[in-house]
Amino acid sequence: MLLLILAAVLAGLLGWLAVLFHQRNQYWARRGIPHTPPHPIVGSFSFLFKKNVGIWMRDLRLQHSSPLVGIWVFWKPVLVVADPQIARRVLIQDSDLFRNRYISSGKSDPIGSQNLFTVNDPTWTNVRRRLTYIFTAAKLKAMQEFTTGKSQDVVNRIKEYNSENKPVDLRVLFSDVTTDIFGTFAFGIQTDSVKTGDSVLRAVTRTFQEFDVYRGMCWLSIFFWPGLVDIFRFSLFPKKTTDFFKKTVNEIIEYRIKNKVEKSDLLDALIKMKKEGLDEGQEFDDNLLAAQATIMLQGGFDTTAGTLTFTMNELAHYPDIQERLYNELVEAKEQKNNEDLGFNDLEKLTYLNCVIKEVLRKYPPMGWLDRVAATDYPINAKLTLPRGTPVYVNAIGMHYDPQYFPDPHVFNPDRFLPENESSVVPFSYMPFGDGPRMCIGMRFAQMTMRTVISEIVLNLQLKPKPGFPTPDKVEFETKGLFLLPGAPLCLDFVPRN
Ligand code: HEM
């Protein structure tokens, strides 16, 4: 009898699962949205750990003729949008309904879950408002001299390695310099990673870059299956680094308050937040401060270092483009009687900015923009998204769509020259995202990249190094989620007179 009951329960359970499974599989078909049938457990994500997510998104656009594609992030239906008009509505016009991201780092990880990138409303609006002013042009200009000095250290390090016949792993070198720059900005402590190859912060950012299977699982779950995060106590940052950040930020903040040090930087904005608290009714937790400093370092150092790495590799393989950039820089220097190029000079350099834009078109570190519909939302006459449905704006998919960027695999900075830029369709190009949740550090990243690239190109000629890949053969990370180099990239450098 007991066996019979057990068999009936099991049959009922299997039947229920089969119905759920069928309903899930039919989700996009019932709504008339193109899709590829999902894997029973991981949904559309059977490529995980084999292919970079950004590259998968890029290829997804090419696989379907429709700019709207339905996928399953594990069991959750997600709409992927590669249409500039709908992207504009989601990111800008109806941004009040798409304020939150699907990504979530759970309650067991206060540093990972309370930072600007992962936190949702109402805290997000409050924190973003208080941090925006530290990225104004005036504040960035104050960082220019420091950034130029660090970029000159980069050139010296390359020359030193050259003289010792040691190869320079570009991603390592650029991670050293971006750790120094964004670490100083975020924590107010100066480090010398470029000169020495190490520092207290570089030890931390090195850990950030280590993606073993466990850390890959943490990120996967945080980005794509947030329901699992608290169950397995996954964290965005390795545990040992979050303790370090909490301690460092709290000590510096205490020191500044006690000694009345004011620098009008990120830490000052955090001190102000601590003194004033959040808006009424919102809980204030001291980890909120360390969380913001940490995300500025994480959000800034690897994305910028990766972009610099790809820039150098492209320039080495396109000597004409490199020479044109060199000539623009030499001319700008001559106009300044050979003084260092400042913030305003670099901002105005047309071709330098075209090169950076084109690198970010080909290699946007985060190629998809994550939002969740706060209400039922009509996408078009046939499709209304139920409340809570995630939408991924497929920026990289549009960057590689030949109707917006002809010959998308070709590195061609001319696409962004003033005379051509008007033909770039609005919202088809978004390496920094768009709308209220776009990258807060965009101008800082641009300033850093302009400075580092100009110092290198003015002083060194870049050439491909035998044994290292051409741009079309570059490998990307498969365990980490961002579009970053997955294997060392090295070049030959010839000093210019
Ligand atoms: C090449 C460099 C960088 C690229 C390509 C990049 C790209 C992005 C993208 C695509 C987003 C999501 C935007 C959206 O959803 O619409 C983002 C968000 C963010 N980025 Fe960046 N980023 C870069 C550098 C930086 C730097 C230097 C910092 C800080 C110093 C930073 C801090 C952040 C933060 C805090 C967010 C979350 C903003 C929010 O949700 O309010 N990023 N970034």
Side-chain angles (χ1 to χ4, degrees), residues 101 116-117 124 128 299-300 303 307 365 371 431-434 437 439:
R101 295 203 170 98
L116 199 61
F117 190 76
W124 173 77
R128 175 100 190 192
T303 46
T307 309
R371 301 288 188 275
F432 292 99
D434 215 325
R437 284 209 86 150
C439 177

Side-chain angles (χ1 to χ4, degrees), residues 60-75:
L60 183 76
R61 176 67 193 99
L62 304 176
Q63 282 156 16
H64 296 269
S65 56
S66 158
L68 296 181
V69 176
I71 61 167
W72 288 263
V73 173
F74 297 92
W75 275 60

Side-chain angles (χ1 to χ4, degrees), residues 52 355 449:
N52 179 276
V355 167
M449 292 187 292

Side-chain angles (χ1 to χ4, degrees), residues 91 101 116-117 124 128 135 182 185 295-296 299-301 303-304 307 360 364-366 369-371 430-434 436-442 444-445 449:
L91 299 174
R101 295 203 170 98
L116 199 61
F117 190 76
W124 173 77
R128 175 100 190 192
F135 292 95
F182 298 120
F185 164 77
I295 198 63
M296 295 304 166
F301 96 97
T303 46
T304 310
T307 309
L360 285 169
M366 197 185 158
L369 312 169
D370 165 348
R371 301 288 188 275
M430 291 181 287
F432 292 99
D434 215 325
R437 284 209 86 150
M438 83 178 288
C439 177
I440 198 170
M442 176 179 79
F444 196 179
M449 292 187 292

